[in-house]
Amino acid sequence: CIRDRPWPREAHALLTTRRAEHLPCDLAAAGLRLLIIDLAARRVPPPRLVPDDPAHAEQAAAALRAGRPADLGPCLTAAHTPGEPIPDLALRTALDAGALGGRSIGACVVTLAPTSTVPRIRAHATATLTPHLPRPPRFLTAT
């Protein structure tokens, strides 16, 4: 039943490995943003059948329990499955421009970045990726 599902809470992350657990994750207070890069891919890469590594979720949970949301960046990168040229290029570009980490999800790349680096990441990603895409990438910034 939907009402029995755990729902996310503001400024928290919802971890659902063994049981539902709300962990403090106030990205705005930490000066961080999720920057989602929509790659306008001609095709969406099929899901890669790579088993989730529970260690990634545990590392992320440990970072949040310790009050270190910036440590989620390397966790995201560790969970990235390389092999698609455009998402891989987008991630490398974001990392080179100051993102703390990221991973591809479908036709998007989700990065974690300090707020101050978001404009630079957007500019570098637009310049680098536009020649490879049917339109310039679009961006969504979230906390």
Side-chain angles (χ1 to χ4, degrees):
C1 177
I2 289 180
R3 66 187 158 103
D4 294 333
R5 289 186 182 173
W7 293 100
R9 297 178 188 157
E10 187 173 337
H12 285 76
L14 180 60
L15 178 69
T16 57
T17 51
R18 290 177 290 239
R19 59 180 170 73
E21 181 179 3
H22 289 92
L23 299 171
C25 184
D26 192 344
L27 296 181
L32 300 170
R33 299 292 183 268
L34 287 175
L35 178 63
I36 302 164
I37 306 169
D38 173 0
L39 299 174
R42 289 182 180 93
R43 67 177 185 85
V44 174
R48 308 222 28 198
L49 299 177
V50 177
D52 287 335
D53 184 346
H56 295 151
E58 287 304 320
Q59 286 174 326
L64 293 177
R65 287 185 191 107
R68 297 187 322 265
D71 290 356
L72 294 175
C75 294
L76 285 170
T77 304
H80 173 72
T81 304
E84 291 289 335
I86 300 301
D88 290 350
L89 176 61
L91 179 55
R92 280 193 312 275
T93 300
L95 292 171
D96 290 346
L100 301 175
R103 68 172 295 181
S104 61
I105 299 175
C108 295
V109 171
V110 177
T111 65
L112 180 68
T115 304
S116 61
T117 65
V118 169
R120 182 172 57 240
I121 295 168
R122 289 174 57 122
H124 285 285
T126 298
T128 302
L129 298 171
T130 297
H132 304 284
L133 299 172
R135 64 158 168 77
R138 293 183 183 145
F139 302 91
L140 174 66
T141 306
T143 55

